PDB file of all heavy atoms in Angstrom:
ATOM      1  N   VAL S 403     118.482 115.877 130.806  1.00 97.00           N
ATOM      2  CA  VAL S 403     119.900 115.687 130.804  1.00 97.00           C
ATOM      3  C   VAL S 403     120.566 116.225 132.097  1.00 97.00           C
ATOM      4  O   VAL S 403     121.776 116.326 132.204  1.00 97.00           O
ATOM      5  CB  VAL S 403     120.554 116.354 129.569  1.00 97.00           C
ATOM      6  CG1 VAL S 403     120.595 117.874 129.683  1.00 97.00           C
ATOM      7  CG2 VAL S 403     121.971 115.813 129.238  1.00 97.00           C
ATOM      8  N   TYR S 404     119.753 116.525 133.084  1.00 96.00           N
ATOM      9  CA  TYR S 404     120.284 116.977 134.384  1.00 96.00           C
ATOM     10  C   TYR S 404     119.222 116.844 135.441  1.00 96.00           C
ATOM     11  O   TYR S 404     118.023 116.727 135.178  1.00 96.00           O
ATOM     12  CB  TYR S 404     120.739 118.444 134.299  1.00 96.00           C
ATOM     13  CG  TYR S 404     119.655 119.433 133.835  1.00 96.00           C
ATOM     14  CD1 TYR S 404     118.642 119.840 134.707  1.00 96.00           C
ATOM     15  CD2 TYR S 404     119.674 119.910 132.548  1.00 96.00           C
ATOM     16  CE1 TYR S 404     117.675 120.708 134.262  1.00 96.00           C
ATOM     17  CE2 TYR S 404     118.687 120.786 132.099  1.00 96.00           C
ATOM     18  CZ  TYR S 404     117.709 121.190 132.966  1.00 96.00           C
ATOM     19  OH  TYR S 404     116.714 122.029 132.521  1.00 96.00           O
ATOM     20  N   ARG S 405     119.670 116.916 136.683  1.00 94.00           N
ATOM     21  CA  ARG S 405     118.782 117.123 137.862  1.00 94.00           C
ATOM     22  C   ARG S 405     119.106 118.540 138.374  1.00 94.00           C
ATOM     23  O   ARG S 405     120.227 118.909 138.580  1.00 94.00           O
ATOM     24  CB  ARG S 405     119.081 116.126 138.971  1.00 94.00           C
ATOM     25  CG  ARG S 405     118.672 114.691 138.624  1.00 94.00           C
ATOM     26  CD  ARG S 405     118.819 113.787 139.840  1.00 94.00           C
ATOM     27  NE  ARG S 405     120.172 113.811 140.395  1.00 94.00           N
ATOM     28  CZ  ARG S 405     120.492 114.306 141.587  1.00 94.00           C
ATOM     29  NH1 ARG S 405     119.535 114.841 142.371  1.00 94.00           N
ATOM     30  NH2 ARG S 405     121.716 114.273 142.013  1.00 94.00           N
ATOM     31  N   HIS S 406     118.027 119.312 138.571  1.00 92.00           N
ATOM     32  CA  HIS S 406     118.217 120.682 139.067  1.00 92.00           C
ATOM     33  C   HIS S 406     118.362 120.594 140.581  1.00 92.00           C
ATOM     34  O   HIS S 406     117.488 120.103 141.296  1.00 92.00           O
ATOM     35  CB  HIS S 406     116.992 121.516 138.684  1.00 92.00           C
ATOM     36  CG  HIS S 406     117.081 122.944 139.144  1.00 92.00           C
ATOM     37  ND1 HIS S 406     116.093 123.522 139.889  1.00 92.00           N
ATOM     38  CD2 HIS S 406     118.038 123.859 138.974  1.00 92.00           C
ATOM     39  CE1 HIS S 406     116.442 124.784 140.186  1.00 92.00           C
ATOM     40  NE2 HIS S 406     117.617 125.013 139.626  1.00 92.00           N
ATOM     41  N   LEU S 407     119.472 121.158 141.078  1.00 91.00           N
ATOM     42  CA  LEU S 407     119.765 121.104 142.517  1.00 91.00           C
ATOM     43  C   LEU S 407     119.425 122.367 143.224  1.00 91.00           C
ATOM     44  O   LEU S 407     119.493 122.480 144.452  1.00 91.00           O
ATOM     45  CB  LEU S 407     121.256 120.789 142.728  1.00 91.00           C
ATOM     46  CG  LEU S 407     121.761 119.472 142.080  1.00 91.00           C
ATOM     47  CD1 LEU S 407     123.239 119.350 142.387  1.00 91.00           C
ATOM     48  CD2 LEU S 407     120.986 118.297 142.567  1.00 91.00           C
ATOM     49  N   GLY S 408     118.967 123.397 142.450  1.00 89.00           N
ATOM     50  CA  GLY S 408     118.660 124.708 143.072  1.00 89.00           C
ATOM     51  C   GLY S 408     119.508 125.798 142.408  1.00 89.00           C
ATOM     52  O   GLY S 408     120.621 125.592 142.008  1.00 89.00           O
ATOM     53  N   GLY S 409     118.889 126.995 142.327  1.00 87.00           N
ATOM     54  CA  GLY S 409     119.606 128.124 141.710  1.00 87.00           C
ATOM     55  C   GLY S 409     120.023 127.763 140.309  1.00 87.00           C
ATOM     56  O   GLY S 409     119.261 127.271 139.482  1.00 87.00           O
ATOM     57  N   HIS S 410     121.318 128.031 140.009  1.00 91.00           N
ATOM     58  CA  HIS S 410     121.895 127.646 138.724  1.00 91.00           C
ATOM     59  C   HIS S 410     122.824 126.467 138.892  1.00 91.00           C
ATOM     60  O   HIS S 410     123.859 126.344 138.217  1.00 91.00           O
ATOM     61  CB  HIS S 410     122.715 128.826 138.148  1.00 91.00           C
ATOM     62  CG  HIS S 410     121.831 129.945 137.617  1.00 91.00           C
ATOM     63  ND1 HIS S 410     120.849 129.760 136.698  1.00 91.00           N
ATOM     64  CD2 HIS S 410     121.880 131.258 137.918  1.00 91.00           C
ATOM     65  CE1 HIS S 410     120.293 130.904 136.452  1.00 91.00           C
ATOM     66  NE2 HIS S 410     120.860 131.839 137.146  1.00 91.00           N
ATOM     67  N   THR S 411     122.452 125.509 139.755  1.00 94.00           N
ATOM     68  CA  THR S 411     123.258 124.351 140.052  1.00 94.00           C
ATOM     69  C   THR S 411     122.583 123.094 139.478  1.00 94.00           C
ATOM     70  O   THR S 411     121.417 122.844 139.777  1.00 94.00           O
ATOM     71  CB  THR S 411     123.487 124.190 141.538  1.00 94.00           C
ATOM     72  OG1 THR S 411     124.075 125.377 142.089  1.00 94.00           O
ATOM     73  CG2 THR S 411     124.400 123.011 141.832  1.00 94.00           C
ATOM     74  N   TYR S 412     123.349 122.336 138.681  1.00 95.00           N
ATOM     75  CA  TYR S 412     122.790 121.209 137.939  1.00 95.00           C
ATOM     76  C   TYR S 412     123.695 119.979 138.080  1.00 95.00           C
ATOM     77  O   TYR S 412     124.922 120.123 137.965  1.00 95.00           O
ATOM     78  CB  TYR S 412     122.579 121.521 136.480  1.00 95.00           C
ATOM     79  CG  TYR S 412     121.686 122.720 136.242  1.00 95.00           C
ATOM     80  CD1 TYR S 412     122.233 124.012 136.160  1.00 95.00           C
ATOM     81  CD2 TYR S 412     120.326 122.577 136.070  1.00 95.00           C
ATOM     82  CE1 TYR S 412     121.439 125.142 135.958  1.00 95.00           C
ATOM     83  CE2 TYR S 412     119.511 123.699 135.848  1.00 95.00           C
ATOM     84  CZ  TYR S 412     120.059 124.948 135.791  1.00 95.00           C
ATOM     85  OH  TYR S 412     119.265 126.022 135.592  1.00 95.00           O
ATOM     86  N   ASP S 413     123.065 118.841 138.264  1.00 96.00           N
ATOM     87  CA  ASP S 413     123.800 117.569 138.232  1.00 96.00           C
ATOM     88  C   ASP S 413     123.579 116.967 136.850  1.00 96.00           C
ATOM     89  O   ASP S 413     122.464 116.552 136.508  1.00 96.00           O
ATOM     90  CB  ASP S 413     123.262 116.643 139.330  1.00 96.00           C
ATOM     91  CG  ASP S 413     123.986 115.295 139.363  1.00 96.00           C
ATOM     92  OD1 ASP S 413     125.129 115.251 138.881  1.00 96.00           O
ATOM     93  OD2 ASP S 413     123.381 114.314 139.820  1.00 96.00           O
ATOM     94  N   LEU S 414     124.619 116.966 136.036  1.00 97.00           N
ATOM     95  CA  LEU S 414     124.494 116.522 134.637  1.00 97.00           C
ATOM     96  C   LEU S 414     124.374 115.018 134.550  1.00 97.00           C
ATOM     97  O   LEU S 414     125.107 114.289 135.264  1.00 97.00           O
ATOM     98  CB  LEU S 414     125.695 117.031 133.850  1.00 97.00           C
ATOM     99  CG  LEU S 414     125.883 118.566 133.878  1.00 97.00           C
ATOM    100  CD1 LEU S 414     127.194 118.926 133.144  1.00 97.00           C
ATOM    101  CD2 LEU S 414     124.701 119.285 133.286  1.00 97.00           C
ATOM    102  N   THR S 415     123.486 114.553 133.725  1.00 96.00           N
ATOM    103  CA  THR S 415     123.236 113.123 133.550  1.00 96.00           C
ATOM    104  C   THR S 415     123.278 112.749 132.067  1.00 96.00           C
ATOM    105  O   THR S 415     123.351 113.628 131.207  1.00 96.00           O
ATOM    106  CB  THR S 415     121.869 112.728 134.135  1.00 96.00           C
ATOM    107  OG1 THR S 415     120.860 113.419 133.401  1.00 96.00           O
ATOM    108  CG2 THR S 415     121.753 113.082 135.593  1.00 96.00           C
ATOM    109  N   ASP S 416     123.201 111.461 131.762  1.00 95.00           N
ATOM    110  CA  ASP S 416     123.131 111.082 130.358  1.00 95.00           C
ATOM    111  C   ASP S 416     121.751 111.465 129.786  1.00 95.00           C
ATOM    112  O   ASP S 416     120.719 111.349 130.485  1.00 95.00           O
ATOM    113  CB  ASP S 416     123.294 109.541 130.247  1.00 95.00           C
ATOM    114  CG  ASP S 416     124.695 109.085 130.588  1.00 95.00           C
ATOM    115  OD1 ASP S 416     125.647 109.894 130.431  1.00 95.00           O
ATOM    116  OD2 ASP S 416     124.849 107.924 131.019  1.00 95.00           O
ATOM    117  N   PRO S 417     121.711 111.948 128.547  1.00 96.00           N
ATOM    118  CA  PRO S 417     120.415 112.361 127.978  1.00 96.00           C
ATOM    119  C   PRO S 417     119.501 111.166 127.749  1.00 96.00           C
ATOM    120  O   PRO S 417     119.929 110.083 127.444  1.00 96.00           O
ATOM    121  CB  PRO S 417     120.831 113.013 126.657  1.00 96.00           C
ATOM    122  CG  PRO S 417     122.144 112.403 126.322  1.00 96.00           C
ATOM    123  CD  PRO S 417     122.822 112.111 127.613  1.00 96.00           C
ATOM    124  N   ARG S 418     118.202 111.445 127.962  1.00 95.00           N
ATOM    125  CA  ARG S 418     117.146 110.424 127.694  1.00 95.00           C
ATOM    126  C   ARG S 418     116.107 111.064 126.802  1.00 95.00           C
ATOM    127  O   ARG S 418     115.515 112.111 127.136  1.00 95.00           O
ATOM    128  CB  ARG S 418     116.471 109.976 129.008  1.00 95.00           C
ATOM    129  CG  ARG S 418     117.435 109.439 130.058  1.00 95.00           C
ATOM    130  CD  ARG S 418     116.663 108.812 131.214  1.00 95.00           C
ATOM    131  NE  ARG S 418     115.589 109.643 131.775  1.00 95.00           N
ATOM    132  CZ  ARG S 418     115.752 110.618 132.623  1.00 95.00           C
ATOM    133  NH1 ARG S 418     116.994 110.948 133.049  1.00 95.00           N
ATOM    134  NH2 ARG S 418     114.715 111.317 133.085  1.00 95.00           N
ATOM    135  N   LEU S 419     115.795 110.426 125.717  1.00 96.00           N
ATOM    136  CA  LEU S 419     114.784 110.908 124.779  1.00 96.00           C
ATOM    137  C   LEU S 419     113.448 110.423 125.293  1.00 96.00           C
ATOM    138  O   LEU S 419     112.955 109.356 124.918  1.00 96.00           O
ATOM    139  CB  LEU S 419     115.083 110.432 123.378  1.00 96.00           C
ATOM    140  CG  LEU S 419     114.197 110.979 122.275  1.00 96.00           C
ATOM    141  CD1 LEU S 419     114.205 112.469 122.226  1.00 96.00           C
ATOM    142  CD2 LEU S 419     114.653 110.381 120.896  1.00 96.00           C
ATOM    143  N   GLU S 420     112.777 111.252 126.108  1.00 96.00           N
ATOM    144  CA  GLU S 420     111.543 110.809 126.768  1.00 96.00           C
ATOM    145  C   GLU S 420     110.282 111.222 126.021  1.00 96.00           C
ATOM    146  O   GLU S 420     109.286 110.502 126.039  1.00 96.00           O
ATOM    147  CB  GLU S 420     111.496 111.379 128.190  1.00 96.00           C
ATOM    148  CG  GLU S 420     112.466 110.703 129.114  1.00 96.00           C
ATOM    149  CD  GLU S 420     112.076 110.898 130.592  1.00 96.00           C
ATOM    150  OE1 GLU S 420     111.173 111.689 130.880  1.00 96.00           O
ATOM    151  OE2 GLU S 420     112.717 110.224 131.455  1.00 96.00           O
ATOM    152  N   ASP S 421     110.253 112.383 125.397  1.00 97.00           N
ATOM    153  CA  ASP S 421     109.027 112.869 124.764  1.00 97.00           C
ATOM    154  C   ASP S 421     109.323 113.637 123.476  1.00 97.00           C
ATOM    155  O   ASP S 421     109.150 114.856 123.425  1.00 97.00           O
ATOM    156  CB  ASP S 421     108.232 113.710 125.734  1.00 97.00           C
ATOM    157  CG  ASP S 421     106.764 113.873 125.316  1.00 97.00           C
ATOM    158  OD1 ASP S 421     106.451 113.562 124.156  1.00 97.00           O
ATOM    159  OD2 ASP S 421     105.978 114.336 126.141  1.00 97.00           O
ATOM    160  N   PRO S 422     109.843 112.948 122.446  1.00 96.00           N
ATOM    161  CA  PRO S 422     110.167 113.675 121.224  1.00 96.00           C
ATOM    162  C   PRO S 422     108.948 114.300 120.575  1.00 96.00           C
ATOM    163  O   PRO S 422     109.056 115.326 119.917  1.00 96.00           O
ATOM    164  CB  PRO S 422     110.775 112.573 120.321  1.00 96.00           C
ATOM    165  CG  PRO S 422     110.252 111.279 120.863  1.00 96.00           C
ATOM    166  CD  PRO S 422     110.133 111.520 122.338  1.00 96.00           C
ATOM    167  N   ALA S 423     107.744 113.718 120.797  1.00 97.00           N
ATOM    168  CA  ALA S 423     106.522 114.306 120.206  1.00 97.00           C
ATOM    169  C   ALA S 423     106.254 115.689 120.752  1.00 97.00           C
ATOM    170  O   ALA S 423     105.766 116.563 120.036  1.00 97.00           O
ATOM    171  CB  ALA S 423     105.342 113.376 120.453  1.00 97.00           C
ATOM    172  N   LEU S 424     106.544 115.906 122.035  1.00 97.00           N
ATOM    173  CA  LEU S 424     106.351 117.225 122.632  1.00 97.00           C
ATOM    174  C   LEU S 424     107.254 118.239 121.988  1.00 97.00           C
ATOM    175  O   LEU S 424     106.798 119.351 121.642  1.00 97.00           O
ATOM    176  CB  LEU S 424     106.629 117.165 124.152  1.00 97.00           C
ATOM    177  CG  LEU S 424     106.552 118.470 124.900  1.00 97.00           C
ATOM    178  CD1 LEU S 424     105.140 119.051 124.851  1.00 97.00           C
ATOM    179  CD2 LEU S 424     106.991 118.298 126.349  1.00 97.00           C
ATOM    180  N   LEU S 425     108.501 117.877 121.762  1.00 97.00           N
ATOM    181  CA  LEU S 425     109.451 118.771 121.097  1.00 97.00           C
ATOM    182  C   LEU S 425     108.992 119.065 119.667  1.00 97.00           C
ATOM    183  O   LEU S 425     108.944 120.240 119.249  1.00 97.00           O
ATOM    184  CB  LEU S 425     110.831 118.152 121.105  1.00 97.00           C
ATOM    185  CG  LEU S 425     111.935 118.924 120.352  1.00 97.00           C
ATOM    186  CD1 LEU S 425     112.139 120.306 120.946  1.00 97.00           C
ATOM    187  CD2 LEU S 425     113.249 118.114 120.369  1.00 97.00           C
ATOM    188  N   THR S 426     108.649 118.022 118.941  1.00 97.00           N
ATOM    189  CA  THR S 426     108.231 118.232 117.506  1.00 97.00           C
ATOM    190  C   THR S 426     106.997 119.092 117.427  1.00 97.00           C
ATOM    191  O   THR S 426     106.942 120.031 116.604  1.00 97.00           O
ATOM    192  CB  THR S 426     107.938 116.849 116.889  1.00 97.00           C
ATOM    193  OG1 THR S 426     109.141 116.062 116.893  1.00 97.00           O
ATOM    194  CG2 THR S 426     107.441 117.002 115.454  1.00 97.00           C
ATOM    195  N   ALA S 427     106.008 118.838 118.284  1.00 98.00           N
ATOM    196  CA  ALA S 427     104.768 119.646 118.212  1.00 98.00           C
ATOM    197  C   ALA S 427     105.018 121.098 118.570  1.00 98.00           C
ATOM    198  O   ALA S 427     104.414 121.998 117.983  1.00 98.00           O
ATOM    199  CB  ALA S 427     103.731 119.027 119.141  1.00 98.00           C
ATOM    200  N   SER S 428     105.905 121.350 119.528  1.00 98.00           N
ATOM    201  CA  SER S 428     106.221 122.722 119.913  1.00 98.00           C
ATOM    202  C   SER S 428     106.931 123.475 118.818  1.00 98.00           C
ATOM    203  O   SER S 428     106.632 124.639 118.555  1.00 98.00           O
ATOM    204  CB  SER S 428     107.015 122.707 121.183  1.00 98.00           C
ATOM    205  OG  SER S 428     106.305 122.147 122.275  1.00 98.00           O
TER     206      SER S 428
END
Side-chain angles (χ1 to χ4, degrees):
V403 74
Y404 57 77
R405 290 188 305 113
H406 180 234
L407 303 180
H410 288 306
T411 304
Y412 302 89
D413 180 24
L414 303 175
T415 61
D416 292 334
R418 305 189 311 277
L419 186 56
E420 288 201 350
D421 197 346
L424 176 63
L425 176 61
T426 298
S428 297

